[in-house]
């Protein structure tokens, strides 16, 4: 494996790890979590489409960077949304259920992806499967946005920040 392959293969999760805290702060400032979830899902779907096409190394680099951005945006959005729709007394169990669902779905997706590689002998069917999952996530995000608007828009709010300084002392 060349150094470029090592870099590209670690870029996706490395980028997600680096930008996730900043995305969390951004979501607290702008709200609009359903729109952020749609954007993250579309980023991942577009990246999967790019990876399905025969491409040059630079295009693969861009696709993996887009995938990493989506990997950061979607989970951060979902995790911060749990705190907005759950009362404080039930927050810890709600976050536990969220993480359990996330881990179970990732385990199932990895199993199916590995099965598709074993059966087909390549990665095209696996990428198609992941693209379908990403498109499903886009559809679910649109449904979430519609439902949230109907219920009063809790996920669209901006988190209140405490004021510091002389003006907050009065």
């Amino acid at each position: 494996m060349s150094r470029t392959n090592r870099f590209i293969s670690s870029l996706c999760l490395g980028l997600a790890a680096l930008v996730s805290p900043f995305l969390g702060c951004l979501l607290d400032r702008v709200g609009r979590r359903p729109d952020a979830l749609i954007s993250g899902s579309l980023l991942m779907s577009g990246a999967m489409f790019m990876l399905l096409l025969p491409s040059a190394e630079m295009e693969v680099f861009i696709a993996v960077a887009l995938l990493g951005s989506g990997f950061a945006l979607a989970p951060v959005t979902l995790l911060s949304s749990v705190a907005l729709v759950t009362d404080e007394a039930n927050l810890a169990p709600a976050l536990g259920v969220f993480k359990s669902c996330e881990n179970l779905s990732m385990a199932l997706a990895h199993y199916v992806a590995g099965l598709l590689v074993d059966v087909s002998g390549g990665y095209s069917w696996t990428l198609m499967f992941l693209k379908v999952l990403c498109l499903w996530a886009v559809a679910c995000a649109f449904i979430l946005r519609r439902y949230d608007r109907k219920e009063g828009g809790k996920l669209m709010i901006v988190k209140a920040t405490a004021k510091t300084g002389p003006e907050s002392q009065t």
Side-chain angles (χ1 to χ4, degrees), residues 48 52 109-110 112-118 120 122-132:
M48 291 295 171
L52 277 169
H110 281 90
V112 172
L115 181 66
L116 289 171
V117 169
D118 290 342
S120 68
Y123 289 98
S124 294
W125 283 104
T126 301
L127 289 173
M128 285 299 292
F129 165 69
L130 294 174
K131 180 157 178 54
V132 167

Side-chain angles (χ1 to χ4, degrees), residues 32-78:
R32 303 186 61 92
R33 284 166 180 82
D35 295 335
L37 189 57
I38 291 168
S39 299
S41 300
L42 285 172
L43 278 171
M44 289 186 284
S45 184
M48 291 295 171
F49 182 73
M50 288 176 70
L51 290 171
L52 277 169
L53 300 174
S55 57
E57 190 172 298
M58 182 51 101
E59 291 168 355
V60 171
F61 176 78
I62 292 169
V64 171
L66 288 174
L67 190 61
S69 299
F71 277 0
L73 188 56
V76 167
T77 303
L78 287 172

Side-chain angles (χ1 to χ4, degrees), residues 6-169:
R6 284 181 240 157
F7 176 72
I8 289 175
S9 66
S10 65
L11 176 67
C12 184
L13 293 177
L15 181 64
L18 290 175
V19 301
S20 290
F22 301 107
L23 289 173
C25 291
L26 181 67
L27 283 172
D28 281 347
R29 288 186 179 269
V30 297
R32 303 186 61 92
R33 284 166 180 82
D35 295 335
L37 189 57
I38 291 168
S39 299
S41 300
L42 285 172
L43 278 171
M44 289 186 284
S45 184
M48 291 295 171
F49 182 73
M50 288 176 70
L51 290 171
L52 277 169
L53 300 174
S55 57
E57 190 172 298
M58 182 51 101
E59 291 168 355
V60 171
F61 176 78
I62 292 169
V64 171
L66 288 174
L67 190 61
S69 299
F71 277 0
L73 188 56
V76 167
T77 303
L78 287 172
L79 191 61
S80 65
S81 298
V82 171
L84 291 176
V85 297
T86 307
D87 61 334
E88 192 174 333
N90 294 322
L91 185 57
L95 291 171
V97 168
F98 170 81
K99 191 62 179 170
S100 292
C101 291
E102 181 184 31
N103 287 337
L104 286 171
S105 62
M106 285 184 3
L108 181 62
H110 281 90
Y111 178 81
V112 172
L115 181 66
L116 289 171
V117 169
D118 290 342
V119 170
S120 68
Y123 289 98
S124 294
W125 283 104
T126 301
L127 289 173
M128 285 299 292
F129 165 69
L130 294 174
K131 180 157 178 54
V132 167
L133 288 181
C134 289
L135 291 174
W136 177 251
V138 171
C140 289
F142 274 107
I143 292 167
L144 175 69
R145 182 172 70 173
R146 184 172 180 211
Y147 180 77
D148 182 58
R149 284 183 179 165
K150 189 175 100 175
E151 293 295 316
K154 280 186 177 181
L155 299 177
M156 299 296 273
I157 64 169
V158 176
K159 182 180 173 185
T161 56
K163 288 186 177 181
T164 57
E167 66 276 358
S168 66
Q169 305 279 329

